[in-house]
Amino acid sequence: MGRLIRRLSLAGIAVLGTVFLAIQLVPYGRPGPNPPVRVEPRWDSPTTRQLAARACFDCHSNETTYPWYSYVAPVSWLVARDVTEGRAKLNFSEWDLPQREAGEAAKELQKGKMPMPIYLPTHPEAGLADDEKRALIRGLQATVSADRPRRR
C-alpha cells in the first residue's frame, strides 16, 4: 500500500510539473515593452506625482515595472490582465486620451480598493501611510479638476 501511494504521489508531481512547464508556452501574459509615455496630467504638485507613481503607476501608466514572477505563468496571466484593465480605466501616461475613471481615482483610494490588496504583499512600497494617502487623495482631486482628461 505504501509503494502505491508513493508511486501515485510521484506520478502526480510529474503531471503537475509537466503542466507547469507546458503553460509556460502559452503566448499570453508575457510582459512586452511599455508603450511610450504620451502626455501626463499637469500634476498639482511633485508630491502627488511621486505618490501616484509609487502606488498607481504599475497598473495605471505606461511605466509598469515587471518583477521576475510576472514572466512565469500563470502569474503572468494575472499581471497582464490587471495591467490591461488598469490602463483601460485610467492611464496617467495617456492623459491626452479619454480616461474612463479619472474622477473615481480618489474615491477608490478612500474606499481602500486601490492599490488592490492582492498587490500590496509583493509591492510593499505601494502601501501608503495615512498622511500619504490623504495627500494623494487631495492631490488627485486637485489634478483631475484642474486638468480634466478628454471625455469619450
Side-chain angles (χ1 to χ4, degrees):
M1 188 66 158
R3 280 186 165 184
L4 178 61
I5 291 174
R6 183 178 161 156
R7 280 188 178 163
L8 287 174
S9 295
L10 289 174
I13 290 170
V15 167
L16 287 175
T18 302
V19 168
F20 177 77
L21 291 174
I23 66 173
Q24 302 312 308
L25 302 174
V26 174
Y28 173 76
R30 297 282 188 276
N34 283 318
V37 174
R38 295 167 50 104
V39 175
E40 281 196 22
R42 289 187 304 270
W43 298 99
D44 76 309
S45 74
T47 300
T48 300
R49 188 199 186 279
Q50 182 268 328
L51 290 170
R54 199 174 101 202
C56 311
F57 272 29
D58 272 349
C59 291
H60 296 287
S61 81
N62 294 347
E63 299 180 55
T64 303
T65 301
Y66 293 100
W68 67 268
Y69 54 82
S70 63
Y71 293 86
V72 180
V75 174
S76 61
W77 305 342
L78 300 172
V79 170
R81 183 201 65 201
D82 287 348
V83 170
T84 300
E85 287 179 6
R87 287 176 178 169
K89 293 177 181 178
L90 173 63
N91 190 335
F92 291 114
S93 298
E94 297 183 353
W95 207 250
D96 57 327
L97 300 176
Q99 302 299 320
R100 284 187 3 213
E101 297 188 12
E104 301 298 312
K107 292 176 192 168
E108 294 296 303
L109 273 165
Q110 281 176 317
K111 293 177 188 173
K113 292 184 177 182
M114 290 289 155
M116 290 173 40
I118 195 169
Y119 177 78
L120 292 173
T122 53
H123 300 84
E125 70 282 358
L128 301 173
D130 289 341
D131 60 326
E132 293 174 318
K133 187 176 178 178
R134 285 190 297 273
L136 180 55
I137 289 167
R138 281 191 308 270
L140 287 173
Q141 290 169 333
T143 297
V144 170
S145 356
D147 188 18
R148 294 192 185 279
R150 288 182 35 205
R151 297 204 182 268
R152 286 189 181 211

